[in-house]
PDB file of all heavy atoms in Angstrom:
ATOM      1  N   LEU A  58    -153.529 222.004  17.009  1.00  0.00           N
ATOM      2  CA  LEU A  58    -154.697 222.087  16.029  1.00  0.00           C
ATOM      3  C   LEU A  58    -154.406 221.457  14.677  1.00  0.00           C
ATOM      4  O   LEU A  58    -155.258 220.780  14.036  1.00  0.00           O
ATOM      5  CB  LEU A  58    -155.012 223.493  15.925  1.00  0.00           C
ATOM      6  CG  LEU A  58    -156.327 223.901  15.103  1.00  0.00           C
ATOM      7  CD1 LEU A  58    -157.502 223.301  15.800  1.00  0.00           C
ATOM      8  CD2 LEU A  58    -156.446 225.367  14.941  1.00  0.00           C
ATOM      9  N   SER A  59    -153.215 221.570  14.195  1.00  0.00           N
ATOM     10  CA  SER A  59    -152.775 220.966  12.966  1.00  0.00           C
ATOM     11  C   SER A  59    -152.779 219.475  13.048  1.00  0.00           C
ATOM     12  O   SER A  59    -153.200 218.819  12.132  1.00  0.00           O
ATOM     13  CB  SER A  59    -151.363 221.443  12.545  1.00  0.00           C
ATOM     14  OG  SER A  59    -151.358 222.884  12.365  1.00  0.00           O
ATOM     15  N   ILE A  60    -152.330 218.951  14.151  1.00  0.00           N
ATOM     16  CA  ILE A  60    -152.300 217.495  14.386  1.00  0.00           C
ATOM     17  C   ILE A  60    -153.680 216.917  14.318  1.00  0.00           C
ATOM     18  O   ILE A  60    -154.036 215.919  13.735  1.00  0.00           O
ATOM     19  CB  ILE A  60    -151.499 217.099  15.605  1.00  0.00           C
ATOM     20  CG1 ILE A  60    -150.038 217.385  15.411  1.00  0.00           C
ATOM     21  CG2 ILE A  60    -151.712 215.547  15.918  1.00  0.00           C
ATOM     22  CD1 ILE A  60    -149.219 217.203  16.630  1.00  0.00           C
ATOM     23  N   PHE A  61    -154.613 217.589  15.090  1.00  0.00           N
ATOM     24  CA  PHE A  61    -155.980 217.160  15.049  1.00  0.00           C
ATOM     25  C   PHE A  61    -156.580 217.209  13.707  1.00  0.00           C
ATOM     26  O   PHE A  61    -157.227 216.256  13.225  1.00  0.00           O
ATOM     27  CB  PHE A  61    -156.827 218.086  15.966  1.00  0.00           C
ATOM     28  CG  PHE A  61    -157.152 217.561  17.383  1.00  0.00           C
ATOM     29  CD1 PHE A  61    -156.581 218.066  18.499  1.00  0.00           C
ATOM     30  CD2 PHE A  61    -158.046 216.477  17.490  1.00  0.00           C
ATOM     31  CE1 PHE A  61    -156.928 217.545  19.704  1.00  0.00           C
ATOM     32  CE2 PHE A  61    -158.372 215.916  18.666  1.00  0.00           C
ATOM     33  CZ  PHE A  61    -157.763 216.518  19.826  1.00  0.00           C
ATOM     34  N   GLY A  62    -156.329 218.250  12.933  1.00  0.00           N
ATOM     35  CA  GLY A  62    -156.778 218.421  11.561  1.00  0.00           C
ATOM     36  C   GLY A  62    -156.305 217.295  10.698  1.00  0.00           C
ATOM     37  O   GLY A  62    -157.060 216.623   9.911  1.00  0.00           O
ATOM     38  N   TYR A  63    -154.975 216.961  10.845  1.00  0.00           N
ATOM     39  CA  TYR A  63    -154.315 215.936  10.084  1.00  0.00           C
ATOM     40  C   TYR A  63    -154.932 214.599  10.351  1.00  0.00           C
ATOM     41  O   TYR A  63    -155.242 213.778   9.400  1.00  0.00           O
ATOM     42  CB  TYR A  63    -152.854 215.956  10.309  1.00  0.00           C
ATOM     43  CG  TYR A  63    -152.112 214.765   9.629  1.00  0.00           C
ATOM     44  CD1 TYR A  63    -151.851 214.820   8.219  1.00  0.00           C
ATOM     45  CD2 TYR A  63    -151.781 213.664  10.332  1.00  0.00           C
ATOM     46  CE1 TYR A  63    -151.140 213.831   7.613  1.00  0.00           C
ATOM     47  CE2 TYR A  63    -151.114 212.578   9.727  1.00  0.00           C
ATOM     48  CZ  TYR A  63    -150.796 212.686   8.298  1.00  0.00           C
ATOM     49  OH  TYR A  63    -150.153 211.635   7.741  1.00  0.00           O
ATOM     50  N   MET A  64    -155.109 214.266  11.652  1.00  0.00           N
ATOM     51  CA  MET A  64    -155.694 213.005  12.020  1.00  0.00           C
ATOM     52  C   MET A  64    -157.174 212.833  11.566  1.00  0.00           C
ATOM     53  O   MET A  64    -157.565 211.726  11.155  1.00  0.00           O
ATOM     54  CB  MET A  64    -155.624 212.829  13.516  1.00  0.00           C
ATOM     55  CG  MET A  64    -154.189 212.602  14.089  1.00  0.00           C
ATOM     56  SD  MET A  64    -154.190 212.377  15.908  1.00  0.00           S
ATOM     57  CE  MET A  64    -152.510 211.867  16.149  1.00  0.00           C
ATOM     58  N   ILE A  65    -157.898 213.950  11.648  1.00  0.00           N
ATOM     59  CA  ILE A  65    -159.319 213.791  11.194  1.00  0.00           C
ATOM     60  C   ILE A  65    -159.355 213.682   9.641  1.00  0.00           C
ATOM     61  O   ILE A  65    -160.110 212.938   9.179  1.00  0.00           O
ATOM     62  CB  ILE A  65    -160.070 215.151  11.577  1.00  0.00           C
ATOM     63  CG1 ILE A  65    -160.176 215.210  13.139  1.00  0.00           C
ATOM     64  CG2 ILE A  65    -161.405 215.210  10.954  1.00  0.00           C
ATOM     65  CD1 ILE A  65    -160.765 216.446  13.700  1.00  0.00           C
ATOM     66  N   ALA A  66    -158.420 214.364   8.943  1.00  0.00           N
ATOM     67  CA  ALA A  66    -158.431 214.290   7.478  1.00  0.00           C
ATOM     68  C   ALA A  66    -157.919 212.981   7.029  1.00  0.00           C
ATOM     69  O   ALA A  66    -158.489 212.485   6.005  1.00  0.00           O
ATOM     70  CB  ALA A  66    -157.637 215.442   6.863  1.00  0.00           C
ATOM     71  N   THR A  67    -156.969 212.335   7.574  1.00  0.00           N
ATOM     72  CA  THR A  67    -156.348 211.180   7.140  1.00  0.00           C
ATOM     73  C   THR A  67    -156.717 209.892   7.844  1.00  0.00           C
ATOM     74  O   THR A  67    -156.427 208.732   7.409  1.00  0.00           O
ATOM     75  CB  THR A  67    -154.867 211.216   7.207  1.00  0.00           C
ATOM     76  OG1 THR A  67    -154.427 211.416   8.564  1.00  0.00           O
ATOM     77  CG2 THR A  67    -154.300 212.459   6.400  1.00  0.00           C
ATOM     78  N   GLY A  68    -157.474 210.045   8.973  1.00  0.00           N
ATOM     79  CA  GLY A  68    -157.821 208.825   9.754  1.00  0.00           C
ATOM     80  C   GLY A  68    -158.934 208.071   9.014  1.00  0.00           C
ATOM     81  O   GLY A  68    -159.567 208.486   8.110  1.00  0.00           O
ATOM     82  N   ALA A  69    -159.114 206.827   9.508  1.00  0.00           N
ATOM     83  CA  ALA A  69    -160.223 206.005   8.967  1.00  0.00           C
ATOM     84  C   ALA A  69    -161.583 206.643   9.278  1.00  0.00           C
ATOM     85  O   ALA A  69    -161.754 207.353  10.213  1.00  0.00           O
ATOM     86  CB  ALA A  69    -160.143 204.648   9.631  1.00  0.00           C
ATOM     87  N   LYS A  70    -162.581 206.311   8.458  1.00  0.00           N
ATOM     88  CA  LYS A  70    -163.913 206.893   8.661  1.00  0.00           C
ATOM     89  C   LYS A  70    -164.446 206.494  10.043  1.00  0.00           C
ATOM     90  O   LYS A  70    -165.142 207.305  10.629  1.00  0.00           O
ATOM     91  CB  LYS A  70    -164.911 206.400   7.556  1.00  0.00           C
ATOM     92  CG  LYS A  70    -164.538 206.983   6.172  1.00  0.00           C
ATOM     93  CD  LYS A  70    -165.603 206.539   5.167  1.00  0.00           C
ATOM     94  CE  LYS A  70    -165.342 207.147   3.766  1.00  0.00           C
ATOM     95  NZ  LYS A  70    -166.351 206.724   2.775  1.00  0.00           N
ATOM     96  N   SER A  71    -164.091 205.319  10.514  1.00  0.00           N
ATOM     97  CA  SER A  71    -164.633 204.886  11.786  1.00  0.00           C
ATOM     98  C   SER A  71    -163.952 205.724  12.967  1.00  0.00           C
ATOM     99  O   SER A  71    -164.494 205.599  14.022  1.00  0.00           O
ATOM    100  CB  SER A  71    -164.330 203.372  11.957  1.00  0.00           C
ATOM    101  OG  SER A  71    -162.909 203.196  11.943  1.00  0.00           O
ATOM    102  N   GLU A  72    -162.978 206.442  12.671  1.00  0.00           N
ATOM    103  CA  GLU A  72    -162.257 207.199  13.790  1.00  0.00           C
ATOM    104  C   GLU A  72    -162.640 208.634  13.715  1.00  0.00           C
ATOM    105  O   GLU A  72    -162.425 209.356  14.757  1.00  0.00           O
ATOM    106  CB  GLU A  72    -160.746 207.047  13.634  1.00  0.00           C
ATOM    107  CG  GLU A  72    -160.252 205.588  13.743  1.00  0.00           C
ATOM    108  CD  GLU A  72    -158.778 205.485  13.431  1.00  0.00           C
ATOM    109  OE1 GLU A  72    -158.215 206.423  12.748  1.00  0.00           O
ATOM    110  OE2 GLU A  72    -158.148 204.457  13.798  1.00  0.00           O
ATOM    111  N   ARG A  73    -163.095 209.228  12.619  1.00  0.00           N
ATOM    112  CA  ARG A  73    -163.272 210.660  12.436  1.00  0.00           C
ATOM    113  C   ARG A  73    -164.266 211.212  13.351  1.00  0.00           C
ATOM    114  O   ARG A  73    -164.116 212.266  13.904  1.00  0.00           O
ATOM    115  CB  ARG A  73    -163.629 210.905  10.999  1.00  0.00           C
ATOM    116  CG  ARG A  73    -162.486 210.747  10.009  1.00  0.00           C
ATOM    117  CD  ARG A  73    -162.828 211.017   8.580  1.00  0.00           C
ATOM    118  NE  ARG A  73    -161.819 210.608   7.656  1.00  0.00           N
ATOM    119  CZ  ARG A  73    -162.016 210.598   6.372  1.00  0.00           C
ATOM    120  NH1 ARG A  73    -163.087 210.907   5.831  1.00  0.00           N
ATOM    121  NH2 ARG A  73    -160.942 210.303   5.626  1.00  0.00           N
ATOM    122  N   SER A  74    -165.420 210.549  13.548  1.00  0.00           N
ATOM    123  CA  SER A  74    -166.460 211.109  14.413  1.00  0.00           C
ATOM    124  C   SER A  74    -165.967 211.274  15.850  1.00  0.00           C
ATOM    125  O   SER A  74    -166.223 212.229  16.505  1.00  0.00           O
ATOM    126  CB  SER A  74    -167.667 210.221  14.387  1.00  0.00           C
ATOM    127  OG  SER A  74    -167.314 208.884  14.786  1.00  0.00           O
ATOM    128  N   GLY A  75    -165.220 210.282  16.413  1.00  0.00           N
ATOM    129  CA  GLY A  75    -164.632 210.389  17.665  1.00  0.00           C
ATOM    130  C   GLY A  75    -163.646 211.472  17.824  1.00  0.00           C
ATOM    131  O   GLY A  75    -163.601 212.131  18.841  1.00  0.00           O
ATOM    132  N   LEU A  76    -162.801 211.702  16.822  1.00  0.00           N
ATOM    133  CA  LEU A  76    -161.770 212.696  16.759  1.00  0.00           C
ATOM    134  C   LEU A  76    -162.419 214.101  16.805  1.00  0.00           C
ATOM    135  O   LEU A  76    -161.947 214.992  17.492  1.00  0.00           O
ATOM    136  CB  LEU A  76    -160.797 212.513  15.604  1.00  0.00           C
ATOM    137  CG  LEU A  76    -159.864 211.394  15.729  1.00  0.00           C
ATOM    138  CD1 LEU A  76    -159.105 211.119  14.385  1.00  0.00           C
ATOM    139  CD2 LEU A  76    -158.794 211.616  16.906  1.00  0.00           C
ATOM    140  N   VAL A  77    -163.450 214.316  15.953  1.00  0.00           N
ATOM    141  CA  VAL A  77    -164.117 215.524  15.954  1.00  0.00           C
ATOM    142  C   VAL A  77    -164.803 215.818  17.309  1.00  0.00           C
ATOM    143  O   VAL A  77    -164.736 216.941  17.815  1.00  0.00           O
ATOM    144  CB  VAL A  77    -165.205 215.530  14.831  1.00  0.00           C
ATOM    145  CG1 VAL A  77    -166.087 216.850  14.959  1.00  0.00           C
ATOM    146  CG2 VAL A  77    -164.532 215.463  13.447  1.00  0.00           C
TER     147      VAL A  77
END
Side-chain angles (χ1 to χ4, degrees):
L58 187 60
S59 300
I60 290 173
F61 256 113
Y63 175 78
M64 287 182 171
I65 292 171
T67 61
K70 289 184 177 180
S71 60
E72 299 172 345
R73 290 177 186 171
S74 57
L76 287 170
V77 172

